[in-house]
Amino acid sequence: MKTAWLMVALLVPVALLNYLDRQLVATMQRSIMGDVTGIESQEQWGHMLAWFKWTYALASPFAGLLADRFSKPLIICASLFAWSAVTWATGQATTYDHLLVTRAAMGLSEAFYIPTALALVADHHGPATRSRAVGLHQIGIYLGVMLGSLGGFVADSPALGWRWGFSAIGLVGVAYAVPLLFLLREPVGARARPAGPAESPLASWRTLLGNGSF
């Protein structure tokens, strides 16, 4: 049981970074628009934000598919490393097109975290503790949202600036992904448990669309 709660504790900082990194662009908008060339309107800014949402939405079903078939700790760590590297790269952006690419890459890389992390928490916790464990994991998400609100302060600080914010937080995520790879564990026997027949992505979509609640 101690291992099950340790897994949750290890994932809380990842959930925090997952939401903090995506919040920074919104809270640092004024500084970014004044510094990056090629952003001339709010329409362009909204278009850039949409790239994140579209790639995130389109990648999410495939993220869940991979989480059901491969190592969850490996997927989580790879996702954290990738989106943290993208966060760092965002801090180096000098053009609007560069920002478009980094937002799309952010959506793609972050989409793999939530489905996989929740599945890993559920694997470690039975009915008696599962809801509590998921709730504790959610704390990291909302901490990330709250810390993201400080982005404007960081961006306007003469000693820091928006580029420093992205670069520093990106490096923190990259650094955390390395030890996390050796600390996260799937429960013993998780892969040995019998599973139902594999369902193709197309069949999964048909099942979803045929659900009246959906």
Side-chain angles (χ1 to χ4, degrees):
M1 185 54 68
K2 288 183 179 179
T3 300
W5 289 112
L6 175 62
M7 295 303 104
V8 177
L10 289 170
L11 290 175
V12 167
V14 188
L16 185 155
L17 289 170
N18 187 270
Y19 271 72
L20 171 60
D21 291 358
R22 72 178 71 178
Q23 287 286 108
L24 289 180
V25 165
T27 57
M28 294 180 171
Q29 177 182 354
R30 184 179 62 182
S31 297
I32 295 173
M33 290 187 70
D35 189 35
V36 175
T37 60
I39 308 178
E40 299 176 355
S41 66
Q42 290 291 335
E43 181 182 0
Q44 284 182 299
W45 185 263
H47 180 68
M48 182 195 71
L49 297 182
W51 276 50
F52 169 86
K53 298 181 185 299
W54 276 107
T55 54
Y56 191 102
L58 293 173
S60 289
F62 297 99
L65 191 67
L66 287 180
D68 287 338
R69 286 162 170 73
F70 299 100
S71 167
K72 295 180 182 68
L74 180 60
I75 293 173
I76 289 170
C77 294
S79 177
L80 170 60
F81 187 93
W83 91 59
S84 297
V86 171
T87 300
W88 178 89
T90 303
Q92 320 310 311
T94 56
T95 66
Y96 177 65
D97 288 341
H98 189 167
L99 282 179
L100 287 178
V101 172
T102 56
R103 292 319 287 170
M106 180 70 80
L108 179 63
S109 54
E110 284 200 342
F112 287 83
Y113 175 67
I114 293 294
T116 312
L118 293 181
L120 183 61
V121 170
D123 285 347
H124 276 283
H125 289 267
T129 60
R130 187 172 295 147
S131 295
R132 199 183 329 155
V134 171
L136 288 173
H137 176 263
Q138 292 293 106
I139 290 175
I141 291 176
Y142 292 107
L143 286 175
V145 173
M146 289 186 289
L147 287 176
S149 66
L150 299 176
F153 170 79
V154 173
D156 289 345
S157 171
L160 301 174
W162 77 270
R163 293 185 184 277
W164 179 91
F166 278 97
S167 299
I169 294 172
L171 291 176
V172 168
V174 167
Y176 188 55
V178 177
L180 191 66
L181 182 61
F182 298 96
L183 294 172
L184 280 184
R185 291 286 182 271
E186 293 196 80
V188 176
R191 294 290 172 187
R193 290 199 296 266
E199 191 174 39
S200 70
L202 181 58
S204 298
W205 276 109
R206 285 174 178 168
T207 302
L208 179 64
L209 293 175
N211 188 309
S213 299
F214 176 78

